Amino acid sequence: MISYEYPLNERIRTLLRLEDLLLKIAHFTAGTAPQDHHVALLTIFETLEVASRADLKVDLVQELERQRQILMSFRNNPEISEEALAGALYEIEQASTGLLAMAGKIGQYLRENEWLMSIRSRAAIPGGVCQFDLPSYHYWLNRDPAVRRGDLGTWIQPIAPIRDGIEIVLRLLRASGHPEPLHARAGAFQLTMAGRTAQMLRVRLAQSETVVPEISANKYALNVRFMLPETVARPRVAERDVAFELTFCSL
């Protein structure tokens, strides 16, 4: 199955973008080639840009505390595993403690590093990080992969509490809904919201389905069109019935 997620507010949109960037950082940092670590560093810069657009730390702390209170209400419930509940509460408390311990603006320690900021400014120019533009960066890219990986770890570690908080909030959000099997007639599906509230929609399709969902939603209605994934011609609606799963997610 392929899952497509559609955020319904700016806060969830920011969390999904940061999750995607942080996963890319982890993936490329694990590599050994200079190109891997170049992409990892540029993605760290992107992460700082996205994270600085909102009061992210406060939002995460407030949401984690709200979820902690909800979980606390399940204590002594015979249908809930006390061990699983204790583990979830501990994870939330650890993430909250890490977030509260973060001082100053997110990524300020990186912004104070003149060498990194020189790379960031040159990276905004197409082809701007060639060896003749930044010889010291060329030197770093030719160091031992373990040294580069250690530096990348040092630069990303201070925002690890952000990563942990996002991981918990999005995991709870994704687990909050129940998938409903549906059919889009002639490639189109409409639904009146009728008081439904959600922060994110999830559309899941079988791997064999050669269509891509195009989603639009507001507090009144949801519209999903399944488009043929044309890479050359103009995208067009798949004029056939499409089976899919729809999940409304809300914390």
Side-chain angles (χ1 to χ4, degrees):
M1 300 288 280
I2 303 179
S3 180
Y4 297 87
E5 296 179 332
Y6 185 81
L8 295 175
N9 60 51
E10 190 59 35
R11 185 166 68 100
I12 301 303
R13 189 174 292 113
T14 297
L15 295 186
L16 289 173
R17 284 179 174 151
L18 286 169
E19 178 191 51
D20 180 67
L21 291 168
L22 290 164
L23 287 173
K24 287 176 181 174
I25 291 171
H27 173 80
F28 288 108
T29 298
T32 58
Q35 293 84 355
D36 290 328
H37 294 164
H38 170 67
V39 175
L41 182 56
L42 296 190
T43 310
I44 289 174
F45 295 151
E46 286 187 61
T47 302
L48 290 182
E49 186 68 28
V50 176
S52 65
R53 293 176 185 173
D55 199 354
L56 188 63
K57 187 175 78 170
V58 173
D59 283 348
L60 286 172
V61 169
Q62 290 177 345
E63 186 57 50
L64 289 172
E65 176 57 24
R66 195 169 73 85
Q67 294 303 317
R68 190 183 74 84
Q69 294 293 339
I70 292 171
L71 291 176
M72 289 283 285
S73 68
F74 292 137
R75 279 189 164 166
N76 302 318
N77 186 325
E79 296 182 4
I80 302 295
S81 166
E82 286 293 326
E83 184 179 352
L85 184 60
L89 286 168
Y90 176 77
E91 189 179 23
I92 287 174
E93 287 165 6
Q94 288 293 105
S96 296
T97 300
L99 285 164
L100 291 169
M102 292 178 69
K105 190 175 181 180
I106 295 172
Q108 186 59 37
Y109 64 98
L110 291 179
R111 295 183 181 88
E112 293 170 355
N113 186 317
E114 292 184 10
W115 183 72
L116 287 176
M117 291 303 99
S118 69
I119 298 168
R120 183 183 183 182
S121 62
R122 291 297 308 179
I125 303 169
V129 291
C130 281
Q131 56 178 289
F132 58 82
D133 288 306
L134 293 170
S136 65
Y137 183 48
H138 180 63
Y139 166 77
W140 181 80
L141 288 174
N142 280 276
R143 299 196 71 185
D144 186 271
V147 173
R148 296 196 305 266
R149 193 178 294 117
D151 288 339
L152 290 167
T154 298
W155 296 329
I156 199 64
Q157 183 57 37
I159 62 173
I162 294 289
R163 177 198 62 208
D164 296 342
I166 289 172
E167 182 182 334
I168 293 170
V169 170
L170 289 180
R171 186 170 71 239
L172 292 171
L173 178 62
R174 288 174 176 129
S176 67
H178 302 284
E180 181 182 355
L182 296 166
H183 279 83
R185 305 300 176 189
F189 175 82
Q190 291 184 321
L191 178 70
T192 301
M193 295 299 275
R196 287 182 191 249
T197 58
Q199 293 170 297
M200 184 175 75
L201 302 174
R202 301 188 80 197
V203 171
R204 292 211 314 162
L205 292 160
Q207 196 85 24
S208 58
E209 283 285 5
T210 55
V211 292
V212 176
E214 186 179 88
I215 303 168
S216 62
N218 54 40
K219 62 182 179 180
Y220 303 110
L222 163 68
N223 291 281
V224 183
R225 293 194 307 165
F226 290 95
M227 314 295 291
L228 297 175
E230 302 283 0
T231 57
V232 179
R234 182 178 179 180
R236 53 196 175 88
V237 177
E239 296 178 355
R240 59 179 174 82
D241 290 358
V242 177
F244 68 102
E245 290 181 357
L246 176 64
T247 307
F248 289 84
C249 302
S250 185
L251 291 171

